[in-house]
Amino acid sequence: MKDIDPVELSRQLKKPSGELGHQVAQKLNESNQKLYELAWEMTDFSSIRRILEVGFGNGKHLSYYVDQNPDLIVTGVDFSEEMCDEARTFHHELIKNGKLTIHCVDSSSIPAADHSYDLVIGLNIVYFWDPPDPYLEEIVRVLKPGGKLVLGYRPRQAVEHLEFTKQNFLLYEPDELDALLSEYGLKVTRHQRNTYTKQAADESSVEITDICIVAEQP
């Protein structure tokens, strides 16, 4: 991965495609694991019935939700056809049993009725909402009153020095993202931060700060 041109790596992180895209997605499963664990620790799966994950990569983790609560109905939205195909391969039985639906569309246009979901989750995707307006408008539309949005991301100061973040990435500090969510009527109720050393997508060793926030639909 360290030999990939930073511009190409940035493009693949935004929308994995081709054989390289499958390799990047596998690497993301490893590099994002701590961020997923942080998000899951902050989520009470017993109290929800319908969950939407936006930008799920290859979706290998999607079965985790049903493992936590067998009554959950899970929907995944991603705009990479290769990633959607891979998620369908991983979870054939969940799809067959009506527990998981995969939509291969851009999340600025979610194929769901208003107020459909108790929880929307998106990890390491906020950078690619450019501009963020249509994506947040859709999330607000599909969230139920009292529903929650969980966003996981790495703040600007933790990743701006990496070459691949200089293209296709909108980076935020916590106060900036909080302010953006509040513009759409979402109330940020919780932050959690985890700092550690990890291997970046270009295989350099860096100190990373993961942040997860929970915002509620009034």
Side-chain angles (χ1 to χ4, degrees):
M1 299 290 288
K2 63 183 179 182
D3 297 325
I4 302 173
D5 176 77
V7 175
E8 175 63 14
L9 180 56
S10 176
R11 189 183 71 81
Q12 288 287 348
L13 291 169
K14 180 177 181 179
K15 186 178 184 181
S17 60
E19 180 57 34
L20 179 57
H22 290 289
Q23 296 175 30
V24 168
Q26 178 58 41
K27 191 70 176 178
L28 286 173
N29 287 342
E30 302 167 11
S31 65
N32 287 341
Q33 183 61 33
K34 287 184 180 295
L35 184 58
Y36 269 101
E37 290 171 359
L38 183 61
W40 293 338
E41 288 172 8
M42 298 172 69
T43 304
D44 178 10
F45 292 104
S46 67
S47 65
I48 60 178
R49 289 297 175 265
R50 293 180 61 85
I51 180 172
L52 168 68
E53 180 164 350
V54 177
F56 53 74
N58 67 13
K60 194 170 185 178
H61 61 279
L62 289 171
S63 59
Y64 176 88
Y65 302 121
V66 180
D67 291 341
Q68 303 310 299
N69 179 357
D71 294 328
L72 265 176
I73 302 296
V74 182
T75 300
V77 170
D78 198 287
F79 71 160
S80 167
E81 293 182 5
E82 286 93 338
M83 296 300 97
C84 291
D85 288 345
E86 198 161 353
R88 293 182 182 114
T89 299
F90 285 139
H91 305 297
H92 173 76
E93 286 300 314
L94 285 179
I95 293 170
K96 179 181 176 182
N97 294 331
K99 304 301 293 183
L100 172 64
T101 300
I102 299 294
H103 294 297
C104 194
V105 297
D106 189 89
S107 57
S108 62
S109 182
I110 299 169
D114 295 356
H115 314 309
S116 294
Y117 297 103
D118 303 291
L119 174 69
V120 176
I121 184 168
L123 302 185
N124 274 341
I125 62 165
V126 68
Y127 328 113
F128 307 121
W129 293 347
D130 187 10
D133 308 80
Y135 300 95
L136 287 171
E137 287 169 0
E138 276 295 88
I139 287 171
V140 169
R141 181 183 69 80
V142 302
L143 267 178
K144 294 179 180 179
K148 292 181 171 60
L149 168 65
V150 176
L151 285 179
Y153 68 105
R154 285 154 189 159
R156 180 186 297 111
Q157 57 82 23
V159 295
E160 64 183 350
H161 61 286
L162 300 172
E163 284 300 317
F164 63 84
T165 67
K166 300 185 188 306
Q167 303 86 22
N168 298 317
F169 277 67
L170 288 178
L171 301 177
Y172 297 90
E173 289 299 328
D175 58 338
E176 296 168 339
L177 191 53
D178 287 3
L180 178 63
L181 296 179
S182 69
E183 290 179 17
Y184 290 87
L186 294 165
K187 181 181 179 181
V188 175
T189 59
R190 189 177 176 191
H191 285 88
Q192 198 150 323
R193 179 185 295 255
N194 183 26
T195 301
Y196 54 94
T197 300
K198 67 175 290 291
Q199 189 179 61
D202 61 2
E203 299 192 9
S204 60
S205 181
V206 295
E207 184 177 79
I208 286 295
T209 298
D210 287 340
I211 298 178
C212 277
I213 61 177
V214 179
E216 187 171 315
Q217 172 92 301

